[in-house]
């Protein structure tokens, strides 16, 4: 029988040995549980309401390790010791990633072999599994702190295209963080479950899951038959996402303000301010038509129409991926029953319009697109 205890803070009953669902993302991670009273999935939040934990790890001078928002602050000021996007390295060799090696600001060992990559920090070497385990350990600690109970069991999600080595690496990271990984679930499957698809028996549906995050785009075509999920095809671009929207805005302002590339290279804080203001503008324009602000002494502004012109070609690239995914699954648009929107960048109205127009369908976008994968995992 499961042990029951009382949470002193809330007075609520809690079941010992809760199982958590973890969305271990490239940019952000989060944890969800099934609420013991409502039996509904909920995302775990800190007192200030934050649920997303940036998937960033910083190694300080005296061996201190920080994860999440604290670590993110060091991305520009201490890039060699700040690990981001480690998910891109899971189960990969140097040969697999060398084409993109300039993307990483920290030191990835170039041994030009098919052995799994190592990351050098000072005189120590870390595997992506160890680094991911630090993120998972932080998520576990936060969950334990919020729930006031120990967490030892988890379901972790991975992209549908992850191969066996990448899935195993994710399991190993969980184990290293002190988690018994009960299941590895595909992210699009989790998102479908969050919307209640696949919960009914005798149901056959073909679903497209469109996932546009900060740095990656995935489209997955799934067939659900009697609650069994089959991945018919996946496509995407592992270097395309909301970060590209931010860059496009930052470059637009840089040109308007006549700031040279050299100037930006030498003034890291100006570069960072431009990027942060650009992201702010993008987010603001998801619900407004005009953004006005400043960067240092410079006045900057952006209208929604201009923003849409700046990012349209990126969204068109995602639509090409959708076409390829349909072709690989030997399906046409008319065969798709449901379209699910996942990832923070699907909040951009232009993205929703173009996806809806392509699939000729209304979209499942009522849930928080950052949370649906974790909720499904729960
Ligand atoms: P994810 O990787 O799913 O956490 O998505 C993160 C991306 O979503 C980042 O590029 C964010 O800037 C972007 N994002 C978050 N909220 C919004 C919003 N309201 N409008 C546009 N983009 C957003």
């Amino acid at each position: 029988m499961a042990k029951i205890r009382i949470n002193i803070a809330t007075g609520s009953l809690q079941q010992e040995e809760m199982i958590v669902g973890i969305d271990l993302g490239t940019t952000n991670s989060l944890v969800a549980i099934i609420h013991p009273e409502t039996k509904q999935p909920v995302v775990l939040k800190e007192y200030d309401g934050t649920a997303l934990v940036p998937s960033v790890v910083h190694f300080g001078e005296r061996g201190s390790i920080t994860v999440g928002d604290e670590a993110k602050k060091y991305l520009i000021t201490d890039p060699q010791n700040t690990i981001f996007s480690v998910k891109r390295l899971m189960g990969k060799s140097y040969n697999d990633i060398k084409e993109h090696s300039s993307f990483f600001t920290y030191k990835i060992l170039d041994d030009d072999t098919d052995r799994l990559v190592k990351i050098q920090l000072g005189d120590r070497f870390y595997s992506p599994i160890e680094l991911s385990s630090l993120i998972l350990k932080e998520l576990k600690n936060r969950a334990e702190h919020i729930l006031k109970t120990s967490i030892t069991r988890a379901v972790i999600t991975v992209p549908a295209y992850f191969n066996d080595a990448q899935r195993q690496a994710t399991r190993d990271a969980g184990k290293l963080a002190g988690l018994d990984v009960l299941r590895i679930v595909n992210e699009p499957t989790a998102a479908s479950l969050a919307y209640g698809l696949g919960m009914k028996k005798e149901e056959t549906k073909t679903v497209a899951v469109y996932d546009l995050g900060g740095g990656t785009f995935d489209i997955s075509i799934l067939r659900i038959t009697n609650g069994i999920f089959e991945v018919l095809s996946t496509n995407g671009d592992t270097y395309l996402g909301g970060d590209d929207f931010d860059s496009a805005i930052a470059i637009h302002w840089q040109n308007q303000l006549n700031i040279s590339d050299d100037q930006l290279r030498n003034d890291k804080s100006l570069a960072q301010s431009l990027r942060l203001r650009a992201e702010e503008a993008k987010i603001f324009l998801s619900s407004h038509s005009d953004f006005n602000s400043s960067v240092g002494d410079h006045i900057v502004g952006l209208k929604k129409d201009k923003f849409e012109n700046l990012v349209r070609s990126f969204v068109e690239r995602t639509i090409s991926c959708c076409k390829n995914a349909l072709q690989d699954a030997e399906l046409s648009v008319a065969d798709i029953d449901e379209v699910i929107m996942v990832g923070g960048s699907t909040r951009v109205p232009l993205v929703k319009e173009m996806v809806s127009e392509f699939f000729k369908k209304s979209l499942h976008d009522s849930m928080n697109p950052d949370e649906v994968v974790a909720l499904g995992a729960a």
Side-chain angles (χ1 to χ4, degrees), residues 170-200:
T170 306
R171 269 182 193 284
D172 293 346
K175 199 183 287 174
L176 211 54
L179 292 168
D180 180 11
V181 182
L182 303 181
R183 272 218 222 163
I184 295 285
V185 174
N186 287 332
E187 289 160 9
T189 300
S192 306
L193 286 169
Y195 274 104
L197 302 175
M199 306 292 265
K200 283 195 217 118

Coordinates of all heavy atoms in Angstrom, one line a residue, residues 170-200:
T170 N 19.8 9.3 -22.4 CA 18.8 10.0 -21.6 C 18.4 9.2 -20.3 O 18.4 9.7 -19.2 CB 17.5 10.3 -22.4 OG1 17.9 11.0 -23.6 CG2 16.5 11.1 -21.6
R171 N 18.3 7.8 -20.5 CA 18.0 7.0 -19.4 C 19.2 7.0 -18.4 O 19.0 7.1 -17.2 CB 18.0 5.5 -19.9 CG 16.6 5.0 -20.2 CD 16.6 3.5 -20.6 NE 15.4 3.2 -21.2 CZ 14.3 3.0 -20.5 NH1 14.3 3.0 -19.2 NH2 13.1 2.8 -21.1
D172 N 20.4 7.0 -18.9 CA 21.6 7.0 -18.1 C 21.7 8.3 -17.3 O 22.1 8.3 -16.1 CB 22.9 6.8 -18.9 CG 22.9 5.4 -19.5 OD1 22.2 4.5 -19.1 OD2 23.7 5.2 -20.5
A173 N 21.4 9.4 -18.0 CA 21.4 10.7 -17.3 C 20.4 10.6 -16.1 O 20.7 11.1 -15.0 CB 21.1 11.8 -18.2
G174 N 19.2 10.1 -16.3 CA 18.2 9.9 -15.3 C 18.8 9.1 -14.1 O 18.7 9.5 -12.9
K175 N 19.4 8.0 -14.4 CA 19.9 7.1 -13.4 C 21.0 7.9 -12.6 O 21.0 7.8 -11.3 CB 20.5 5.9 -14.0 CG 20.7 4.7 -13.1 CD 21.3 3.5 -13.7 CE 20.4 2.8 -14.7 NZ 21.1 1.7 -15.4
L176 N 21.8 8.6 -13.3 CA 22.9 9.3 -12.6 C 22.4 10.4 -11.7 O 23.0 10.8 -10.7 CB 23.8 10.0 -13.7 CG 25.3 10.2 -13.4 CD1 25.9 8.9 -13.0 CD2 25.9 10.7 -14.7
A177 N 21.2 10.9 -12.0 CA 20.5 11.9 -11.2 C 19.8 11.3 -10.0 O 19.1 12.0 -9.3 CB 19.6 12.8 -12.1
G178 N 19.8 10.0 -9.9 CA 19.1 9.3 -8.9 C 17.6 9.0 -9.2 O 16.8 8.9 -8.3
L179 N 17.3 8.9 -10.5 CA 15.9 8.7 -10.9 C 15.8 7.3 -11.6 O 16.7 7.0 -12.4 CB 15.5 9.8 -11.9 CG 15.3 11.2 -11.3 CD1 15.1 12.2 -12.5 CD2 14.1 11.2 -10.4
D180 N 14.8 6.6 -11.2 CA 14.5 5.4 -11.9 C 13.6 5.8 -13.1 O 12.5 6.2 -12.9 CB 13.8 4.5 -10.9 CG 13.4 3.1 -11.5 OD1 13.9 2.8 -12.6 OD2 12.6 2.4 -10.8
V181 N 14.1 5.6 -14.3 CA 13.4 6.1 -15.5 C 12.4 5.0 -15.9 O 12.9 4.0 -16.5 CB 14.3 6.5 -16.6 CG1 13.5 7.1 -17.8 CG2 15.3 7.6 -16.1
L182 N 11.2 5.2 -15.6 CA 10.2 4.1 -15.9 C 9.9 4.0 -17.3 O 9.7 2.9 -17.8 CB 8.9 4.4 -15.2 CG 8.9 4.6 -13.6 CD1 7.6 4.9 -13.1 CD2 9.5 3.4 -13.0
R183 N 9.9 5.1 -18.0 CA 9.7 5.1 -19.5 C 10.3 6.3 -20.1 O 10.4 7.4 -19.6 CB 8.2 5.2 -19.8 CG 7.6 3.8 -19.8 CD 6.5 3.8 -20.9 NE 5.4 3.1 -20.3 CZ 4.2 3.1 -20.8 NH1 3.9 3.8 -21.9 NH2 3.2 2.4 -20.3
I184 N 10.7 6.1 -21.4 CA 11.1 7.2 -22.2 C 9.9 7.3 -23.2 O 9.6 6.3 -23.9 CB 12.4 6.8 -23.0 CG1 13.6 6.7 -22.1 CG2 12.7 7.8 -24.1 CD1 14.2 8.0 -21.5
V185 N 9.3 8.5 -23.3 CA 8.2 8.7 -24.2 C 8.5 9.7 -25.2 O 9.2 10.7 -24.9 CB 7.0 9.2 -23.3 CG1 5.8 9.5 -24.2 CG2 6.6 8.1 -22.3
N186 N 8.0 9.5 -26.4 CA 8.2 10.5 -27.5 C 7.5 11.8 -27.2 O 6.3 11.8 -26.7 CB 7.7 10.0 -28.8 CG 8.7 8.9 -29.4 OD1 9.9 8.9 -29.1 ND2 8.1 8.0 -30.2
E187 N 8.1 12.9 -27.4 CA 7.5 14.2 -27.1 C 6.2 14.4 -27.9 O 5.2 14.8 -27.2 CB 8.5 15.4 -27.5 CG 9.7 15.4 -26.5 CD 10.9 16.2 -27.0 OE1 10.8 16.8 -28.1 OE2 11.9 16.1 -26.4
P188 N 6.1 14.1 -29.2 CA 4.8 14.3 -29.8 C 3.7 13.4 -29.2 O 2.5 13.8 -29.2 CB 5.0 14.0 -31.3 CG 6.3 13.2 -31.3 CD 7.1 13.7 -30.1
T189 N 4.1 12.2 -28.8 CA 3.1 11.3 -28.1 C 2.6 11.9 -26.9 O 1.4 12.0 -26.6 CB 3.8 9.9 -27.8 OG1 4.2 9.4 -29.1 CG2 2.8 9.0 -27.2
A190 N 3.5 12.5 -26.1 CA 3.1 13.1 -24.8 C 2.2 14.3 -25.1 O 1.2 14.5 -24.4 CB 4.4 13.6 -24.0
A191 N 2.5 15.1 -26.1 CA 1.7 16.3 -26.4 C 0.3 15.8 -26.9 O -0.7 16.4 -26.5 CB 2.3 17.1 -27.6
S192 N 0.2 14.7 -27.6 CA -1.1 14.2 -28.1 C -1.9 13.8 -26.8 O -3.1 14.0 -26.7 CB -1.0 13.0 -29.0 OG -0.1 13.4 -30.1
L193 N -1.2 13.1 -25.9 CA -1.9 12.6 -24.7 C -2.5 13.8 -23.9 O -3.6 13.7 -23.3 CB -1.0 11.8 -23.9 CG -0.6 10.4 -24.4 CD1 0.5 9.8 -23.6 CD2 -1.9 9.4 -24.3
A194 N -1.7 14.8 -23.8 CA -2.1 16.0 -23.0 C -3.4 16.6 -23.6 O -4.2 17.1 -22.9 CB -1.0 17.1 -23.1
Y195 N -3.6 16.5 -24.9 CA -4.9 16.9 -25.5 C -5.9 15.8 -25.5 O -7.0 16.0 -26.2 CB -4.6 17.4 -26.9 CG -4.2 18.9 -26.9 CD1 -2.9 19.3 -27.2 CD2 -5.1 19.9 -26.7 CE1 -2.5 20.6 -27.2 CE2 -4.7 21.2 -26.7 CZ -3.4 21.6 -26.9 OH -3.1 22.9 -26.9
G196 N -5.6 14.7 -24.8 CA -6.6 13.7 -24.7 C -6.7 12.7 -25.9 O -7.6 11.9 -26.0
L197 N -5.8 12.9 -26.9 CA -5.9 12.0 -28.1 C -5.2 10.7 -27.7 O -4.2 10.7 -27.0 CB -5.1 12.7 -29.2 CG -5.7 14.0 -29.7 CD1 -4.8 14.6 -30.8 CD2 -7.1 13.8 -30.2
G198 N -5.8 9.6 -28.1 CA -5.2 8.3 -27.8 C -5.6 7.8 -26.5 O -5.2 6.7 -26.1
M199 N -6.5 8.5 -25.8 CA -7.0 8.0 -24.6 C -8.2 7.1 -24.8 O -8.5 6.3 -23.9 CB -7.5 9.2 -23.7 CG -6.4 10.2 -23.5 SD -5.0 9.6 -22.5 CE -5.5 10.2 -20.9
K200 N -8.9 7.3 -25.9 CA -10.1 6.4 -26.1 C -9.7 5.2 -26.9 O -8.9 5.2 -27.8 CB -11.1 7.2 -27.0 CG -11.9 8.2 -26.3 CD -13.1 8.6 -27.2 CE -13.4 10.1 -27.0 NZ -13.2 10.9 -28.3

